[in-house]
């Protein structure tokens, strides 16, 4: 199974953090992770990935240029089959409402709960292997 998870965050250390947290899964080839450091870079990844491989996207909300909330409807239009989970330091009700209204599958607040992210990934891997 060749599946991809896209992580979008303008902070370069997030890439290292995700690679460290998911090193066993990545080494075992359970899934691959791609990293985009801006919304335009994320859109390029979304449009370049083939339909079967991209199964989940995590996106920061606060990024320079285009925010994650502005990116969300563009990703949903390009790939309505891919759930997008927003990540933010500001988990207030208004932000949650905007994210969910924009089509996000969920909103996770920082500091990131990697057990929660693992559960989201496992759920997606289960639905992909169940439909294969």
């Amino acid at each position: 199974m060749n599946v991809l998870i896209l992580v979008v965050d303008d902070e370069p250390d997030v890439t290292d953090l995700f690679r460290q947290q998911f090193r066993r899964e990545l080494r075992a080839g359970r899934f691959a992770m791609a990293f985009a450091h801006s919304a335009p870079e994320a859109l390029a990844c979304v449009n370049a990935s083939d339909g079967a491989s991209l199964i989940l996207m995590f996106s920061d909300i606060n990024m320079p240029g285009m925010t994650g909330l502005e990116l969300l409807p563009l990703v949903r239009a390009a790939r309505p089959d891919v759930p997008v989970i927003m990540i933010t330091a500001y988990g207030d009700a208004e932000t949650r409402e905007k994210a969910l209204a924009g089509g996000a599958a969920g909103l996770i607040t920082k500091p990131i709960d990697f057990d929660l992210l693992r559960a989201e990934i496992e759920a997606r891997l289960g639905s992909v292997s169940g439909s294969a």
Side-chain angles (χ1 to χ4, degrees):
M1 177 171 32
N2 184 20
V3 296
L4 178 67
I5 296 165
L6 177 60
V7 179
V8 185
D9 197 303
D10 61 306
E11 298 288 333
D13 60 334
V14 169
T15 299
D16 295 335
L17 180 62
F18 271 77
R19 284 189 176 133
Q20 176 68 21
Q21 287 291 325
F22 295 103
R23 69 184 176 281
R24 287 187 191 116
E25 294 90 342
L26 294 170
R27 243 187 243 136
R30 295 199 64 223
F31 52 82
M33 285 188 148
F35 298 91
H37 299 288
S38 68
E41 191 179 336
L43 283 174
C45 290
V46 166
N47 291 324
S49 68
D50 65 39
S53 67
L54 183 62
I55 64 162
L56 183 60
M57 182 173 128
F58 294 111
S59 177
D60 189 23
I61 289 180
N62 293 319
M63 296 185 289
M66 184 186 299
T67 69
L69 290 175
E70 294 167 330
L71 170 64
L72 181 58
L74 301 175
V75 172
R76 299 298 301 141
R79 293 294 305 277
D81 58 312
V82 176
V84 178
I85 296 173
M86 306 305 293
I87 299 174
T88 184
Y90 311 100
D92 59 272
E94 183 181 351
T95 301
R96 181 174 299 280
E97 187 176 309
K98 283 181 183 176
L100 297 177
L107 182 113
I108 296 173
T109 56
K110 293 178 180 179
I112 298 170
D113 179 344
F114 282 97
D115 289 335
L116 184 57
L117 261 57
R118 271 191 185 77
E120 292 287 350
I121 291 170
E122 289 302 323
R124 288 301 298 161
L125 288 173
S127 69
V128 169
S129 64
S131 65

